[in-house]
Structures are given as C-alpha cells and as structure tokens.
Amino acid sequence: MTGAFQRGLSDAFLDELLCGAAGVVLRACQRRGLDVRLRDDKVNAYHAGRSVALIAWRARKASVEVHRAYLVDGRIGAFGGRASRDNRVFDVDDGFAAAYDEHIDTLIERAKHHMGREENIEFSLMQANSGPGAVFCFDRQIQVSGVRGRLDVMGVRADGSALVAIEVKRYPDPSIQEVPRQLHDYLEVFAPGAGGLRADVAASYRTVCAQLRLLGEPAPEPAFIAAGMPVDGLVVVADYTPRSQLLTRAHALADTLARPIHLWAPAAGDFTIPPPSGWTRMGTAA
C-alpha cells in the first residue's frame, strides 16, 4: 500500500456533525435507518447500497452530494446545488438541512429503483452483523491503493482476535471464480506477508470506531483493533448453486494462494455470519 491508510473525520468536521447543520442531515439519515459509514473527512449514508447522502468537509465547510437520478427536477426543495459528474452538490446551511430532512424519503424511494442485487446483499450483511455476534461489521466499500476495485466489507471477530476482510458475491456472477485472488490481494495490503495488521490501518480504524460511537452508530470497541492482529479472508456467496462450476474453479484457485481464504454461503434470508467454525477453508479438498 503506497501512502497511509486514511479513514475517519477531522475534529472540526466531527464538531459540525455533532452541533451544526450537517448534523441535521446526518440525523435525518439515521432516523431512516440508513447505513452510515465514515471516509476520509466524509460520511456516506446508504440505503441498500445506494448513497443517499455523501456529507463532505472541505475548506471548513460542509456539503452534501446526491446522485441526480434520486432528485426531482435536479433539486432538493428550493435548492438546486451545482453539477459534479452524475451528482449534484449542495452547500449545507440551516435552510438546506431542513429541506433535506423534508425530502429525504423521496430520495430513498427513488434510490430503490437503482439498487443492485449484490449491493442489497451487502447491505443486508451489514445490518445483520452491526452488533454483538461472531463478527461485527463496521466498514464497507474500502478502496486502497495497490488493489483494483474495493473491498466489500470489513469486520472484526467478536473476541477481537482477528479482523475479517469480506468479499460478497451472488450467483451467477462469473467473478466468483476469481474472488480468492482478489481477496488475497486485499489481505496482502492490510497485513503484508501475513505479518499482521498494519499500524496505520489499526490506528485509522480505532479512530473510525470511536467516532461512529460518538455519532450514535454501532461500532466495535476501538481497543479490539490492534496493530499486528491477524486478518482473516472470508468470501460470502449468496444464492449458492452446488451444480455451478464457478465455485469449483474458485476452490482450485485458492489452492495456489499463499494465505487461507474461507467461504460461507448464507441460508436464504439469514445473513448473520457464524463463528469461524462455521466457515469452510477454500481449496479442492473443501
């Protein structure tokens, strides 16, 4: 990984979310049960994998970014914002925050029409494991330098014994056959050479957990995350079809990798991750 891993919020942004107009937007998202995740001085609020608000902090000012497809006539109430690729960006003040709170249900309803099936599974996985259980999931859609794409979900074992990097796939996605290598590459980024979790990642995630808790969001105890702790790799495959050869090829690929990759196929509608004894180590002997 080139450069330090960065998640979490600056003190000024955290104060704005606790006491300012941006906090009104955040609490509107929280009241609707949106999945709130922290980035580097950004807060993303998801409904079933679709971002309904990206609250950002730039030059000591807050803004909210929303995909234009979720807006009615490109506006939120009386606020038109400005274009940024496929999104509209709105400066946050008391008036906009009140308008966002008034119109958020429309944004959510329109976002529902754009959600992908894999994103919905990821959202269900986060909801089912954002609390006491075998694995506590606390981050999603994690982009790091050196690896293409994004890691779907990050969690930590309930006893704090290991971080768990999770890739979510759904049959019949053909990328299932390549997912062991993809996940292996992420493990090498977070814990190079199986030497344990990088210190910068551990420090960043301790901050994230502490800040999530301060904002009223569920998160593991920050002390659970420590430099040098192991990082497990878990592939979650929904709608598993035993007759498919995709997973057979994935098992064969896993045999060639230096680090163990595990597999779990949830029963229909139940996304509660079991303890590691309920996972299967991938490989042709599986």
Side-chain angles (χ1 to χ4, degrees):
M1 179 160 45
T2 60
F5 182 79
Q6 296 241 332
R7 296 295 242 199
L9 314 175
S10 63
D11 290 343
F13 189 22
L14 189 59
D15 287 344
E16 169 66 18
L17 290 166
L18 291 170
C19 305
V24 175
V25 175
L26 174 61
R27 287 184 285 279
C29 296
Q30 291 174 314
R31 285 196 298 274
R32 274 75 173 187
L34 300 190
D35 181 31
V36 173
R37 299 296 149 198
L38 307 189
R39 304 291 180 250
D40 183 14
D41 251 359
K42 297 177 182 176
V43 176
N44 222 331
Y46 297 94
H47 174 78
R50 300 278 92 188
S51 175
V52 180
L54 176 62
I55 312 171
W57 184 252
R58 299 183 186 94
R60 299 188 65 82
K61 293 181 180 179
S63 63
V64 169
E65 194 167 326
V66 181
H67 197 287
R68 64 185 182 188
Y70 311 158
L71 304 174
V72 177
D73 297 327
R75 308 182 73 82
I76 295 179
F79 297 85
R82 58 190 179 274
S84 176
R85 297 186 179 179
D86 291 334
N87 302 328
R88 302 293 296 181
V89 180
F90 303 86
D91 295 326
V92 176
D93 58 18
D94 291 340
F96 172 80
Y100 185 91
D101 193 7
E102 181 181 349
H103 291 86
I104 183 174
D105 294 319
T106 300
L107 302 179
I108 292 171
E109 191 60 35
R110 292 172 71 92
K112 287 179 183 178
H113 301 295
H114 298 270
M115 67 184 184
R117 288 182 291 182
E118 190 172 296
E119 289 172 325
N120 199 26
I121 291 167
E122 184 184 311
F123 179 71
S124 299
L125 192 74
M126 293 296 299
Q127 287 206 315
N129 299 281
S130 291
V135 176
F136 198 138
C137 297
F138 63 90
D139 198 13
R140 69 187 299 188
Q141 291 299 299
I142 304 140
Q143 190 163 23
V144 294
S145 58
V147 181
R148 233 164 143 192
R150 292 180 173 132
L151 177 68
D152 288 331
V153 174
M154 186 69 83
V156 64
R157 287 197 202 175
D159 60 1
S161 61
L163 219 58
V164 185
I166 302 169
E167 273 295 308
V168 179
K169 296 297 177 185
R170 180 188 183 277
Y171 265 96
D173 183 349
S175 67
I176 288 171
Q177 58 194 329
E178 297 294 334
V179 72
R181 187 183 308 282
Q182 181 184 1
L183 187 51
H184 187 276
D185 289 346
Y186 277 114
L187 296 179
E188 280 298 309
V189 167
F190 289 112
L197 183 65
R198 289 177 62 114
D200 58 331
V201 178
S204 185
Y205 270 146
R206 281 195 300 271
T207 297
V208 164
C209 290
Q211 291 179 339
L212 281 170
R213 286 169 160 245
L214 192 58
L215 293 170
E217 291 293 321
E221 286 283 352
F224 275 8
I225 302 174
M229 71 189 302
V231 184
D232 295 334
L234 178 65
V235 177
V236 175
V237 178
D239 299 339
Y240 170 58
T241 303
R243 294 186 302 275
S244 172
Q245 291 300 305
L246 293 174
L247 201 53
T248 301
R249 290 191 282 271
H251 282 300
L253 176 58
D255 274 337
T256 70
L257 302 175
R259 304 169 70 134
I261 304 293
H262 294 86
L263 172 71
W264 173 61
D270 185 3
F271 291 95
T272 305
I273 300 173
S277 58
W279 308 348
T280 299
R281 178 164 176 170
M282 296 191 72
T284 52

